[in-house]
Amino acid sequence: MVIYLTGDSELKKEFYVKNYISGKDIHYRRIYADDTDKISELKYASQSVGLFSNSKVYDLVDFDEWSKSEKNEFMNISFSNEQVTVFVRTQKVSKDIEGGQVVVLEKPKDWEEEKWIELILQTAKELNIICNKEVAQEIYNLVGSDEFGILTELEKLKTYSNDEVSIEDVDEIVYKRTISRLDEFLFAISERKYSKALELLNDIVSEYDAVVISYALAKHFIDLFDIIANLHRKQSEYSWPEISKLAKETEIASPKVARFLGFRFKNSKNPPFNHVLYYTAKSVLNLINRIYLLDRRVKLGDDIKVLLSELISELKQEKSEQSE
């Protein structure tokens, strides 16, 4: 029997296989794209299982990385013996696939907060962790829509809290994964922490491709523009339900919306900075246009470190002039 595990949730696929083999007397084997004898091994398995042999499960963990010819060879193998099960982890399969069962396992969309919280609760259950919805919400606030980030933090919490997790446990030990080093650089600029941005600049240009940096900078301020454009009213503080609603409307991850709107997370290392108190739609559009010109110069071969240094210094000077 062949079971195609399709969709983009690698975590759900992992748990699906784990639950299938749990408690069974079987031989389990993971097969990778770079295994040179995988086709011959699978052909042999399809033909050689005897009456008194243990059942076998083969897990093709990265089938999408196989060559086209290897995939075709695999499709021509008949796994009619009930003692052999083959899991094929893939993004999608042809609609006219024959001789197999298809299971669709998808991650929630980034903005589907309730579904992510449900995923956290399900993952906690798989790990035998006692976790209520309030705790799951706090984990989501800190980790965001990252399924393996969620798994990693739950495993840390299991070790720390002896299976029953509290809000205090989450606030004390969950690492805030939602902000990458590049994100921190972008927020340093938008939060007008220009000295910090200049300090980060050397590392950023050495770690990231120039085009990636200019694209990310533009996307950062486009997201801010969308948030300002969709706000029903400007205010000094926003509640989590308001942030969640705006995240759904703009399709921007709620932790990022929260950072833009100065939401105060428990034990956050970053002092809240409510962008809407410092920016207007017009001022953000002006910045986007400047970044667009910077991006063009990057693509023409200009040095992004010099360009970013000039932009940050200009913004710092403008801030100084506004405060006089």
Side-chain angles (χ1 to χ4, degrees), residues 135-177:
V135 169
Q137 175 74 70
E138 187 70 2
I139 293 170
Y140 176 77
N141 290 351
L142 294 173
V143 180
S145 51
D146 176 352
E147 60 177 2
F148 279 102
I150 289 166
L151 175 63
T152 299
E153 300 304 336
L154 282 171
E155 287 174 336
K156 283 163 57 178
L157 286 163
K158 180 180 174 69
T159 301
Y160 176 87
S161 60
N162 296 320
D163 299 343
E164 185 166 3
V165 179
S166 68
I167 286 285
E168 291 72 25
D169 293 334
V170 175
D171 289 339
E172 185 170 348
I173 69 169
V174 170
Y175 176 69
K176 192 171 182 183
R177 308 174 62 90

Side-chain angles (χ1 to χ4, degrees), residues 179-194 196-198 200-201 204 208 210 212-224 256 259-260 273 275 279 287 291 304 308 311-312 315:
I179 303 299
S180 71
R181 192 166 181 81
L182 179 56
D183 286 326
E184 203 59 61
F185 173 71
L186 302 176
F187 273 111
I189 295 174
S190 64
E191 291 175 355
R192 308 173 85 179
K193 299 172 184 173
Y194 301 122
K196 179 181 178 181
L198 289 170
L200 291 169
L201 183 56
I204 294 300
Y208 296 91
V212 171
I213 298 171
S214 59
Y215 170 81
L217 183 60
K219 182 67 167 61
H220 184 80
F221 281 97
I222 289 169
D223 285 347
L224 176 56
K256 188 172 186 180
R259 178 86 178 254
F260 274 129
F273 183 97
H275 289 64
Y279 293 92
L287 254 175
I291 295 165
I304 191 167
L308 284 172
L311 176 63
I312 294 167
L315 294 173

Side-chain angles (χ1 to χ4, degrees), residues 64-221:
D64 291 340
E65 302 300 317
W66 289 29
S67 69
K68 186 176 181 180
S69 62
E70 288 173 335
K71 289 178 183 178
N72 289 336
E73 281 192 80
F74 169 76
M75 295 297 183
N76 289 326
I77 302 174
S78 174
F79 294 96
S80 55
N81 193 310
E82 292 183 357
Q83 289 180 281
V84 177
T85 301
V86 180
F87 287 104
V88 180
R89 305 195 196 192
T90 182
Q91 287 291 311
K92 60 182 179 179
V93 293
S94 173
K95 291 181 180 179
D96 58 358
I97 193 76
E98 295 181 1
Q101 176 186 347
V102 178
V103 179
V104 181
L105 299 167
E106 299 279 3
K107 291 188 296 187
K109 304 301 183 188
D110 282 352
W111 59 90
E112 293 177 328
E113 182 177 320
E114 285 300 318
K115 291 183 180 179
W116 278 104
I117 291 171
E118 183 59 32
L119 177 63
I120 292 170
L121 292 170
Q122 290 172 355
T123 305
K125 186 177 179 181
E126 291 283 354
L127 298 174
N128 296 315
I129 297 172
I130 299 171
C131 171
N132 61 37
K133 191 169 183 179
E134 183 182 8
V135 169
Q137 175 74 70
E138 187 70 2
I139 293 170
Y140 176 77
N141 290 351
L142 294 173
V143 180
S145 51
D146 176 352
E147 60 177 2
F148 279 102
I150 289 166
L151 175 63
T152 299
E153 300 304 336
L154 282 171
E155 287 174 336
K156 283 163 57 178
L157 286 163
K158 180 180 174 69
T159 301
Y160 176 87
S161 60
N162 296 320
D163 299 343
E164 185 166 3
V165 179
S166 68
I167 286 285
E168 291 72 25
D169 293 334
V170 175
D171 289 339
E172 185 170 348
I173 69 169
V174 170
Y175 176 69
K176 192 171 182 183
R177 308 174 62 90
T178 56
I179 303 299
S180 71
R181 192 166 181 81
L182 179 56
D183 286 326
E184 203 59 61
F185 173 71
L186 302 176
F187 273 111
I189 295 174
S190 64
E191 291 175 355
R192 308 173 85 179
K193 299 172 184 173
Y194 301 122
S195 296
K196 179 181 178 181
L198 289 170
E199 289 173 8
L200 291 169
L201 183 56
N202 279 336
D203 290 339
I204 294 300
V205 297
S206 65
E207 291 176 20
Y208 296 91
D209 183 81
V211 175
V212 171
I213 298 171
S214 59
Y215 170 81
L217 183 60
K219 182 67 167 61
H220 184 80
F221 281 97

